Each structure stands twice: as structure tokens, then as C-alpha cells.
Amino acid sequence: MTHMLPFPVATHSYFKVTNQSAERQRFLSDPSYEPVFSYGPHMDKDKVARRRERAAGVPGARSSLDLVGASLQLQAQPNDTNLARFRELNEALFGAPRKEYATGLLVRIHGFVTPETQDLWGYIRTALHGEFTEMPDIVPTHEEFTKYREYFLTYTGGVAMGNVSLSQLLQTDLEKTGLAAQGWRINIRDDDSHTKVHHARKTISVGAGYVPRTQNAAIRIAAHEVYGHALRGHQDSVAESEGFAILLEQLLAERFKFRRSYRYLAAALGWGTIGRPLSFREVYEIIWRAMVIVGTYPEEKARIYAFDECARVFRGGLPAMPGAVYLKDGTYFDANVQMWQCLKEQPLDYNEFIDLVEGRRRLLS
């Protein structure tokens, strides 16, 4: 078992960018600059090589550390051979982005275009050599979405209201689910780390400095962590775990909205799912425009957040090299679409849906 190894094996444990703020500032002030990311002490060639040897015979750990080793090799010697190896191991671990899904996201973005944003869309269309007008069948119907939304809101007693902190929202949901009475607690860390559920310790940790972008985002995060992970219990696959937790986030809105979509699109475009592989800068120029078209953020904030989304998918890779992307974050969106496809093919009644929420039922695994 991987947890018996005395060191981290998950790829994202190694691909933690330590200079993101400084690189963002330089990138945004210099239109010709491609970021160069630095990483923490785990990202050391000799250390990773020793850990790969110790992980022999632990398939999941070895394949994960093989990707970390390929990342280090690519950064030391950025050539086609090392890029091909990095991409091969990425695809083996996480799967390549799907053209159908990426196309669906571009069709959705196109649907938001107004006369004021026509030029932004013109840039995207030209960059990707496509029109993107026909939506593939990857979205639940209004009736399907409304049914499961009513199930979830009935179960939870409704959406939390008021402008309260994320830690307060987490605590409230722990109490509503009965998890607090079972010993679950919130652990406030002295940093800006995102929320994380620790099943064995019955804790949800969150950095004191981590502030979600909006109040609605905080409400979604609390539901994701408490109902999607803590209450549901540990799942055997990331797809089962994250795909459903994101579905619960979606059910808090009045209509269906894709989640983790900019990140998935960034990974797909960088990978070359639509057309040729793209560099960090090329992907960024599309993503910030998409954010403005959809009305997610004004341009100044869109540029900042587009950089951060691209950093998630180029960490561990090489921003200046087209196609050198890290595919892990794309798996969440992919799994979420698969969840909705499963519910379309095998509709659930209220009690069956609650079996999903409370961890007695699976959809993908």
C-alpha cells in the first residue's frame, strides 16, 4: 500500500509551485514572457530517483514517481524525446482530455458572446480554427438537473445563507450531517492552503489565509468537502470521489453550470486536443478572453485568474513548451461529466440518491 511508504507519492505533492506570485507579476507585465516555475524540496532528481527505487513493487506509487522523474528530466533537458515521455506517463495516469468535452465548453462560451465581446471571440475562433456552434450531448436536461437538485436540497434542508467564513460554513455542515457529533472537527492551518479532508483523523483542514473568490464559492466548497468527501467516505478512485463532489456543488445553483471548466479547457488546449498543442502563453490568451465573454470576471481579474488556471495545468511541465501539461486537474471535470451521463442512463429515486451521498452506493467505480 502506498500509505506505508515514508514519503509522498502523489504527483501534486511534488508539483507545488513556490514562486507563482512573482511569476504571475512578471508574466502580466511582459507580453513576451513565459513563466519559469520553481518547486519545493521534494522536487530533487536524486531524492526522487531513490524514492522510485523504494517504491518498486507498489504499482500506483511507482507510476506516479515515474511521472515526477520524467518532469525533472524534461526541465533539465527540454527536448522532443523527454516531452514525449512526460506526455505518455501523464496520459497513462490521468487520461487525455476529450475533444467532445473541450468542444462543448467552447460552444458554451460562444453562447455568451455579445457585440461587446465579439472581438474576444474572434481571437479564440481564429486561434483554434473553429466555429464551435453545436453542443455535444454532455449536459443534463433541465428536468434531470432539477430532480437531483430537489433531492439534495431536501436532504440538506436548503442552501446556507449569509456572509460567513468558510470555516464557519464547514462547521455548520459538519453539525447538520451529524459528523460533528461523531468527532469530526475543523483544523485551521497557519497558511493559505485549500481545504482538505482527512478521513482517518476526522478533520477538515483549511488555511486561515485561504479566502474563496465569492461567498457562493465558499458555500460550494463547504458542501464539496463535507457532503462530497467527509460524509460520503473514502472512495477507491479520484473520479468517483471528485466527480460526485463537484456534482453536489452544481446542485447548489438554480441551473446547471459546468465546474472546473476553465482548468479542463486549459489542459485540453495545451495538450493539443483541438488543433496543435499550445504553450502557456497561448492557452492563457484564450482562457482570459473566455472568462470575460462568459462574464465570470472583468478583464483585470480574468487575466490574474487565467494565469492561475494555466499554472495548475502547466505545473510540473514546461510552460514555454507546447504540450508539456500536467493532466491531473482535468480528471475532475471529466469525471463529473461521466457522473451526469450515468445518472442519465440509470435514473435514481430519492433514497437511491441519498445512498450515493452517504457512501452506500457508487456510480463510476
Side-chain angles (χ1 to χ4, degrees):
M1 295 291 288
T2 57
H3 67 262
M4 294 176 70
L5 295 168
F7 48 79
V9 297
T11 47
H12 61 266
S13 299
Y14 294 83
F15 298 163
K16 289 181 178 177
V17 177
T18 57
N19 64 337
Q20 185 162 324
S21 179
E23 286 300 282
R24 185 198 306 116
Q25 189 172 351
R26 182 172 177 183
F27 177 90
L28 294 177
S29 63
D30 182 353
S32 65
Y33 182 68
E34 291 281 11
V36 179
F37 292 137
S38 300
Y39 302 95
H42 287 312
M43 199 66 162
D44 175 87
K45 183 179 179 181
D46 293 335
K47 182 184 289 187
V48 171
R50 289 193 300 271
R51 290 177 176 182
R52 285 171 64 207
E53 290 305 311
R54 291 187 65 181
V58 187
R62 184 58 186 262
S63 57
S64 183
L65 291 170
D66 281 346
L67 177 56
V68 178
S71 164
L72 286 161
Q73 187 68 22
L74 177 64
Q75 290 170 57
Q77 296 178 298
N79 56 45
D80 290 345
T81 300
N82 289 335
L83 174 60
R85 177 66 173 158
F86 180 72
R87 284 170 61 89
E88 176 191 347
L89 292 170
N90 252 288
E91 186 168 358
L93 270 179
F94 305 115
R98 305 184 192 208
K99 185 173 183 178
E100 178 187 21
Y101 293 1
T103 299
L105 290 174
L106 289 163
V107 172
R108 173 181 171 271
I109 292 161
H110 184 207
F112 283 90
V113 173
T114 65
E116 291 75 24
T117 57
Q118 188 64 51
D119 287 349
L120 299 179
W121 176 251
Y123 178 96
I124 295 173
R125 189 183 63 212
T126 301
L128 299 177
H129 307 288
E131 295 298 328
F132 309 108
T133 55
E134 191 171 335
M135 175 64 82
D137 183 24
I138 60 173
V139 176
T141 65
H142 176 70
E143 290 74 22
E144 288 167 340
F145 178 79
T146 301
K147 179 178 80 168
Y148 293 113
R149 181 173 192 265
E150 288 175 354
Y151 286 175
F152 189 48
L153 294 184
T154 297
Y155 179 73
T156 61
V159 179
M161 303 298 288
N163 190 23
V164 297
S165 70
L166 176 56
S167 59
Q168 289 173 299
L169 288 167
L170 289 165
Q171 184 62 43
T172 297
D173 283 345
L174 284 181
E175 289 167 5
K176 284 171 67 176
T177 55
L179 290 173
Q182 295 174 29
W184 279 79
R185 60 186 180 82
I186 308 300
N187 175 34
I188 309 294
R189 297 167 58 95
D190 188 23
D191 55 26
D192 60 355
S193 58
H194 290 208
T195 48
K196 183 173 178 59
V197 170
H198 308 272
H199 288 100
R201 300 199 295 268
K202 292 188 175 181
T203 61
I204 302 177
S205 63
V206 61
Y210 173 54
V211 180
R213 294 173 187 174
T214 65
Q215 182 64 20
N216 282 340
I219 292 169
R220 288 196 304 271
I221 290 166
H224 179 114
E225 301 298 345
V226 176
Y227 291 94
H229 293 317
L231 179 63
R232 193 165 190 237
H234 176 76
Q235 304 299 311
D236 290 336
S237 74
V238 171
E240 180 70 39
S241 176
E242 293 295 340
F244 188 72
I246 294 168
L247 184 146
L248 296 183
E249 287 188 46
Q250 291 166 316
L251 295 178
L252 295 176
E254 293 184 0
R255 60 183 175 83
F256 175 82
K257 297 177 184 177
F258 288 121
R259 291 281 167 216
R260 311 295 193 276
S261 57
Y262 293 121
R263 202 167 292 174
Y264 186 84
L265 184 58
L269 297 179
W271 187 256
T273 304
I274 296 176
R276 64 176 178 83
L278 303 180
S279 71
F280 186 108
R281 171 70 68 175
E282 290 173 312
V283 175
Y284 160 84
E285 294 292 353
I286 292 169
I287 297 299
W288 80 254
R289 286 174 169 85
M291 287 179 169
V292 174
I293 289 169
V294 174
T296 313
Y297 307 108
E299 182 175 331
E300 185 178 356
K301 285 192 178 298
R303 287 179 176 273
I304 292 169
Y305 293 144
F307 178 92
D308 292 343
E309 295 295 285
C310 290
R312 293 282 300 194
V313 302
F314 276 89
R315 60 185 169 142
L318 211 58
M321 181 174 272
V325 298
Y326 174 50
L327 293 177
K328 177 181 181 291
D329 282 334
T331 59
Y332 302 153
F333 178 89
D334 187 284
N336 177 246
V337 175
Q338 289 182 57
M339 284 278 172
W340 283 108
Q341 297 294 92
C342 286
L343 291 176
K344 185 186 293 285
E345 294 163 8
Q346 301 175 359
L348 303 180
D349 64 23
Y350 177 79
N351 289 329
E352 291 170 329
F353 182 77
I354 300 313
D355 283 343
L356 270 176
V357 177
E358 295 185 348
R360 293 183 293 274
R361 191 184 186 109
R362 310 283 180 268
L363 279 181
L364 302 182
S365 60

PDB file of all heavy atoms in Angstrom, residues 287-308:
ATOM      1  N   ILE A 287      -7.933  31.654 -22.445  1.00  0.00           N
ATOM      2  CA  ILE A 287      -8.714  31.473 -21.215  1.00  0.00           C
ATOM      3  C   ILE A 287      -9.186  32.807 -20.636  1.00  0.00           C
ATOM      4  O   ILE A 287     -10.355  32.921 -20.223  1.00  0.00           O
ATOM      5  CB  ILE A 287      -7.910  30.676 -20.164  1.00  0.00           C
ATOM      6  CG1 ILE A 287      -7.598  29.256 -20.680  1.00  0.00           C
ATOM      7  CG2 ILE A 287      -8.673  30.608 -18.843  1.00  0.00           C
ATOM      8  CD1 ILE A 287      -8.808  28.404 -20.976  1.00  0.00           C
ATOM      9  N   TRP A 288      -8.337  33.835 -20.608  1.00  0.00           N
ATOM     10  CA  TRP A 288      -8.811  35.096 -20.015  1.00  0.00           C
ATOM     11  C   TRP A 288      -9.925  35.700 -20.861  1.00  0.00           C
ATOM     12  O   TRP A 288     -10.887  36.270 -20.320  1.00  0.00           O
ATOM     13  CB  TRP A 288      -7.670  36.073 -19.757  1.00  0.00           C
ATOM     14  CG  TRP A 288      -7.129  36.881 -20.913  1.00  0.00           C
ATOM     15  CD1 TRP A 288      -5.947  36.693 -21.556  1.00  0.00           C
ATOM     16  CD2 TRP A 288      -7.715  38.053 -21.510  1.00  0.00           C
ATOM     17  NE1 TRP A 288      -5.770  37.642 -22.546  1.00  0.00           N
ATOM     18  CE2 TRP A 288      -6.830  38.493 -22.529  1.00  0.00           C
ATOM     19  CE3 TRP A 288      -8.895  38.767 -21.292  1.00  0.00           C
ATOM     20  CZ2 TRP A 288      -7.094  39.608 -23.339  1.00  0.00           C
ATOM     21  CZ3 TRP A 288      -9.164  39.879 -22.089  1.00  0.00           C
ATOM     22  CH2 TRP A 288      -8.280  40.289 -23.103  1.00  0.00           C
ATOM     23  N   ARG A 289      -9.822  35.555 -22.165  1.00  0.00           N
ATOM     24  CA  ARG A 289     -10.890  36.070 -23.030  1.00  0.00           C
ATOM     25  C   ARG A 289     -12.188  35.310 -22.800  1.00  0.00           C
ATOM     26  O   ARG A 289     -13.273  35.895 -22.767  1.00  0.00           O
ATOM     27  CB  ARG A 289     -10.457  35.981 -24.498  1.00  0.00           C
ATOM     28  CG  ARG A 289      -9.415  37.030 -24.888  1.00  0.00           C
ATOM     29  CD  ARG A 289      -8.897  36.805 -26.315  1.00  0.00           C
ATOM     30  NE  ARG A 289      -8.114  37.939 -26.786  1.00  0.00           N
ATOM     31  CZ  ARG A 289      -6.816  38.119 -26.538  1.00  0.00           C
ATOM     32  NH1 ARG A 289      -6.155  37.202 -25.807  1.00  0.00           N
ATOM     33  NH2 ARG A 289      -6.175  39.171 -26.998  1.00  0.00           N
ATOM     34  N   ALA A 290     -12.073  33.986 -22.625  1.00  0.00           N
ATOM     35  CA  ALA A 290     -13.269  33.184 -22.343  1.00  0.00           C
ATOM     36  C   ALA A 290     -13.936  33.637 -21.049  1.00  0.00           C
ATOM     37  O   ALA A 290     -15.162  33.747 -20.965  1.00  0.00           O
ATOM     38  CB  ALA A 290     -12.890  31.709 -22.260  1.00  0.00           C
ATOM     39  N   MET A 291     -13.138  33.913 -20.028  1.00  0.00           N
ATOM     40  CA  MET A 291     -13.681  34.368 -18.739  1.00  0.00           C
ATOM     41  C   MET A 291     -14.447  35.682 -18.882  1.00  0.00           C
ATOM     42  O   MET A 291     -15.505  35.871 -18.273  1.00  0.00           O
ATOM     43  CB  MET A 291     -12.545  34.537 -17.732  1.00  0.00           C
ATOM     44  CG  MET A 291     -11.953  33.242 -17.220  1.00  0.00           C
ATOM     45  SD  MET A 291     -10.595  33.563 -16.056  1.00  0.00           S
ATOM     46  CE  MET A 291     -10.322  31.933 -15.375  1.00  0.00           C
ATOM     47  N   VAL A 292     -13.916  36.590 -19.677  1.00  0.00           N
ATOM     48  CA  VAL A 292     -14.585  37.879 -19.881  1.00  0.00           C
ATOM     49  C   VAL A 292     -15.874  37.687 -20.674  1.00  0.00           C
ATOM     50  O   VAL A 292     -16.920  38.264 -20.352  1.00  0.00           O
ATOM     51  CB  VAL A 292     -13.648  38.880 -20.588  1.00  0.00           C
ATOM     52  CG1 VAL A 292     -14.403  40.160 -20.937  1.00  0.00           C
ATOM     53  CG2 VAL A 292     -12.447  39.207 -19.705  1.00  0.00           C
ATOM     54  N   ILE A 293     -15.832  36.851 -21.718  1.00  0.00           N
ATOM     55  CA  ILE A 293     -17.025  36.609 -22.535  1.00  0.00           C
ATOM     56  C   ILE A 293     -18.159  36.037 -21.689  1.00  0.00           C
ATOM     57  O   ILE A 293     -19.305  36.480 -21.768  1.00  0.00           O
ATOM     58  CB  ILE A 293     -16.693  35.636 -23.691  1.00  0.00           C
ATOM     59  CG1 ILE A 293     -15.795  36.326 -24.728  1.00  0.00           C
ATOM     60  CG2 ILE A 293     -17.972  35.128 -24.362  1.00  0.00           C
ATOM     61  CD1 ILE A 293     -15.198  35.379 -25.759  1.00  0.00           C
ATOM     62  N   VAL A 294     -17.844  35.048 -20.858  1.00  0.00           N
ATOM     63  CA  VAL A 294     -18.875  34.407 -20.026  1.00  0.00           C
ATOM     64  C   VAL A 294     -19.365  35.350 -18.931  1.00  0.00           C
ATOM     65  O   VAL A 294     -20.447  35.186 -18.378  1.00  0.00           O
ATOM     66  CB  VAL A 294     -18.313  33.096 -19.426  1.00  0.00           C
ATOM     67  CG1 VAL A 294     -19.288  32.460 -18.450  1.00  0.00           C
ATOM     68  CG2 VAL A 294     -17.996  32.109 -20.545  1.00  0.00           C
ATOM     69  N   GLY A 295     -18.576  36.376 -18.638  1.00  0.00           N
ATOM     70  CA  GLY A 295     -18.963  37.328 -17.601  1.00  0.00           C
ATOM     71  C   GLY A 295     -18.535  36.893 -16.225  1.00  0.00           C
ATOM     72  O   GLY A 295     -19.050  37.381 -15.215  1.00  0.00           O
ATOM     73  N   THR A 296     -17.592  35.936 -16.167  1.00  0.00           N
ATOM     74  CA  THR A 296     -17.114  35.441 -14.877  1.00  0.00           C
ATOM     75  C   THR A 296     -16.389  36.536 -14.110  1.00  0.00           C
ATOM     76  O   THR A 296     -16.591  36.708 -12.910  1.00  0.00           O
ATOM     77  CB  THR A 296     -16.159  34.244 -15.088  1.00  0.00           C
ATOM     78  OG1 THR A 296     -16.742  33.335 -16.022  1.00  0.00           O
ATOM     79  CG2 THR A 296     -15.910  33.511 -13.790  1.00  0.00           C
ATOM     80  N   TYR A 297     -15.514  37.265 -14.811  1.00  0.00           N
ATOM     81  CA  TYR A 297     -14.709  38.317 -14.173  1.00  0.00           C
ATOM     82  C   TYR A 297     -14.483  39.464 -15.152  1.00  0.00           C
ATOM     83  O   TYR A 297     -14.484  39.259 -16.370  1.00  0.00           O
ATOM     84  CB  TYR A 297     -13.325  37.771 -13.764  1.00  0.00           C
ATOM     85  CG  TYR A 297     -13.362  36.535 -12.921  1.00  0.00           C
ATOM     86  CD1 TYR A 297     -12.986  35.298 -13.442  1.00  0.00           C
ATOM     87  CD2 TYR A 297     -13.780  36.578 -11.583  1.00  0.00           C
ATOM     88  CE1 TYR A 297     -13.018  34.143 -12.680  1.00  0.00           C
ATOM     89  CE2 TYR A 297     -13.818  35.428 -10.821  1.00  0.00           C
ATOM     90  CZ  TYR A 297     -13.439  34.222 -11.370  1.00  0.00           C
ATOM     91  OH  TYR A 297     -13.482  33.090 -10.609  1.00  0.00           O
ATOM     92  N   PRO A 298     -14.264  40.690 -14.639  1.00  0.00           N
ATOM     93  CA  PRO A 298     -13.777  41.769 -15.502  1.00  0.00           C
ATOM     94  C   PRO A 298     -12.362  41.449 -15.969  1.00  0.00           C
ATOM     95  O   PRO A 298     -11.682  40.596 -15.382  1.00  0.00           O
ATOM     96  CB  PRO A 298     -13.810  42.997 -14.576  1.00  0.00           C
ATOM     97  CG  PRO A 298     -13.751  42.449 -13.193  1.00  0.00           C
ATOM     98  CD  PRO A 298     -14.433  41.115 -13.246  1.00  0.00           C
ATOM     99  N   GLU A 299     -11.908  42.158 -17.007  1.00  0.00           N
ATOM    100  CA  GLU A 299     -10.647  41.764 -17.650  1.00  0.00           C
ATOM    101  C   GLU A 299      -9.458  41.709 -16.698  1.00  0.00           C
ATOM    102  O   GLU A 299      -8.665  40.762 -16.750  1.00  0.00           O
ATOM    103  CB  GLU A 299     -10.320  42.711 -18.811  1.00  0.00           C
ATOM    104  CG  GLU A 299      -9.047  42.301 -19.538  1.00  0.00           C
ATOM    105  CD  GLU A 299      -8.751  43.138 -20.768  1.00  0.00           C
ATOM    106  OE1 GLU A 299      -9.683  43.657 -21.399  1.00  0.00           O
ATOM    107  OE2 GLU A 299      -7.542  43.270 -21.096  1.00  0.00           O
ATOM    108  N   GLU A 300      -9.313  42.680 -15.828  1.00  0.00           N
ATOM    109  CA  GLU A 300      -8.142  42.700 -14.942  1.00  0.00           C
ATOM    110  C   GLU A 300      -8.076  41.446 -14.076  1.00  0.00           C
ATOM    111  O   GLU A 300      -7.033  40.811 -13.942  1.00  0.00           O
ATOM    112  CB  GLU A 300      -8.159  43.957 -14.067  1.00  0.00           C
ATOM    113  CG  GLU A 300      -6.911  44.089 -13.204  1.00  0.00           C
ATOM    114  CD  GLU A 300      -6.915  45.360 -12.365  1.00  0.00           C
ATOM    115  OE1 GLU A 300      -7.843  46.184 -12.499  1.00  0.00           O
ATOM    116  OE2 GLU A 300      -5.981  45.521 -11.551  1.00  0.00           O
ATOM    117  N   LYS A 301      -9.214  41.073 -13.494  1.00  0.00           N
ATOM    118  CA  LYS A 301      -9.243  39.857 -12.663  1.00  0.00           C
ATOM    119  C   LYS A 301      -9.153  38.599 -13.529  1.00  0.00           C
ATOM    120  O   LYS A 301      -8.532  37.607 -13.140  1.00  0.00           O
ATOM    121  CB  LYS A 301     -10.521  39.825 -11.817  1.00  0.00           C
ATOM    122  CG  LYS A 301     -10.501  40.791 -10.638  1.00  0.00           C
ATOM    123  CD  LYS A 301     -11.644  40.502  -9.695  1.00  0.00           C
ATOM    124  CE  LYS A 301     -11.623  41.425  -8.480  1.00  0.00           C
ATOM    125  NZ  LYS A 301     -10.413  41.272  -7.657  1.00  0.00           N
ATOM    126  N   ALA A 302      -9.763  38.640 -14.714  1.00  0.00           N
ATOM    127  CA  ALA A 302      -9.711  37.482 -15.606  1.00  0.00           C
ATOM    128  C   ALA A 302      -8.272  37.143 -15.964  1.00  0.00           C
ATOM    129  O   ALA A 302      -7.896  35.968 -16.025  1.00  0.00           O
ATOM    130  CB  ALA A 302     -10.521  37.758 -16.871  1.00  0.00           C
ATOM    131  N   ARG A 303      -7.449  38.151 -16.184  1.00  0.00           N
ATOM    132  CA  ARG A 303      -6.046  37.904 -16.529  1.00  0.00           C
ATOM    133  C   ARG A 303      -5.311  37.232 -15.350  1.00  0.00           C
ATOM    134  O   ARG A 303      -4.511  36.317 -15.548  1.00  0.00           O
ATOM    135  CB  ARG A 303      -5.359  39.217 -16.917  1.00  0.00           C
ATOM    136  CG  ARG A 303      -5.780  39.735 -18.290  1.00  0.00           C
ATOM    137  CD  ARG A 303      -5.088  41.042 -18.623  1.00  0.00           C
ATOM    138  NE  ARG A 303      -5.389  41.510 -19.964  1.00  0.00           N
ATOM    139  CZ  ARG A 303      -4.734  41.157 -21.062  1.00  0.00           C
ATOM    140  NH1 ARG A 303      -3.719  40.286 -20.970  1.00  0.00           N
ATOM    141  NH2 ARG A 303      -5.062  41.626 -22.251  1.00  0.00           N
ATOM    142  N   ILE A 304      -5.600  37.680 -14.144  1.00  0.00           N
ATOM    143  CA  ILE A 304      -4.969  37.091 -12.953  1.00  0.00           C
ATOM    144  C   ILE A 304      -5.407  35.641 -12.791  1.00  0.00           C
ATOM    145  O   ILE A 304      -4.588  34.728 -12.629  1.00  0.00           O
ATOM    146  CB  ILE A 304      -5.324  37.905 -11.698  1.00  0.00           C
ATOM    147  CG1 ILE A 304      -4.673  39.295 -11.762  1.00  0.00           C
ATOM    148  CG2 ILE A 304      -4.898  37.166 -10.429  1.00  0.00           C
ATOM    149  CD1 ILE A 304      -5.170  40.252 -10.699  1.00  0.00           C
ATOM    150  N   TYR A 305      -6.724  35.417 -12.860  1.00  0.00           N
ATOM    151  CA  TYR A 305      -7.238  34.069 -12.621  1.00  0.00           C
ATOM    152  C   TYR A 305      -6.902  33.128 -13.775  1.00  0.00           C
ATOM    153  O   TYR A 305      -6.700  31.926 -13.552  1.00  0.00           O
ATOM    154  CB  TYR A 305      -8.747  34.112 -12.378  1.00  0.00           C
ATOM    155  CG  TYR A 305      -9.115  34.821 -11.092  1.00  0.00           C
ATOM    156  CD1 TYR A 305     -10.260  35.605 -10.989  1.00  0.00           C
ATOM    157  CD2 TYR A 305      -8.303  34.714  -9.964  1.00  0.00           C
ATOM    158  CE1 TYR A 305     -10.593  36.254  -9.810  1.00  0.00           C
ATOM    159  CE2 TYR A 305      -8.624  35.357  -8.778  1.00  0.00           C
ATOM    160  CZ  TYR A 305      -9.764  36.127  -8.709  1.00  0.00           C
ATOM    161  OH  TYR A 305     -10.088  36.770  -7.534  1.00  0.00           O
ATOM    162  N   ALA A 306      -6.821  33.641 -14.990  1.00  0.00           N
ATOM    163  CA  ALA A 306      -6.429  32.797 -16.124  1.00  0.00           C
ATOM    164  C   ALA A 306      -4.987  32.323 -15.947  1.00  0.00           C
ATOM    165  O   ALA A 306      -4.658  31.170 -16.257  1.00  0.00           O
ATOM    166  CB  ALA A 306      -6.588  33.548 -17.434  1.00  0.00           C
ATOM    167  N   PHE A 307      -4.138  33.198 -15.441  1.00  0.00           N
ATOM    168  CA  PHE A 307      -2.757  32.782 -15.161  1.00  0.00           C
ATOM    169  C   PHE A 307      -2.760  31.631 -14.152  1.00  0.00           C
ATOM    170  O   PHE A 307      -2.078  30.621 -14.329  1.00  0.00           O
ATOM    171  CB  PHE A 307      -1.934  33.948 -14.611  1.00  0.00           C
ATOM    172  CG  PHE A 307      -0.518  33.550 -14.253  1.00  0.00           C
ATOM    173  CD1 PHE A 307       0.508  33.681 -15.172  1.00  0.00           C
ATOM    174  CD2 PHE A 307      -0.218  33.021 -13.000  1.00  0.00           C
ATOM    175  CE1 PHE A 307       1.809  33.282 -14.861  1.00  0.00           C
ATOM    176  CE2 PHE A 307       1.070  32.618 -12.677  1.00  0.00           C
ATOM    177  CZ  PHE A 307       2.093  32.758 -13.607  1.00  0.00           C
ATOM    178  N   ASP A 308      -3.545  31.777 -13.079  1.00  0.00           N
ATOM    179  CA  ASP A 308      -3.574  30.747 -12.036  1.00  0.00           C
ATOM    180  C   ASP A 308      -4.117  29.419 -12.562  1.00  0.00           C
ATOM    181  O   ASP A 308      -3.633  28.346 -12.184  1.00  0.00           O
ATOM    182  CB  ASP A 308      -4.406  31.225 -10.843  1.00  0.00           C
ATOM    183  CG  ASP A 308      -3.740  32.382 -10.101  1.00  0.00           C
ATOM    184  OD1 ASP A 308      -2.531  32.597 -10.303  1.00  0.00           O
ATOM    185  OD2 ASP A 308      -4.441  33.070  -9.335  1.00  0.00           O
TER     186      ASP A 308
END
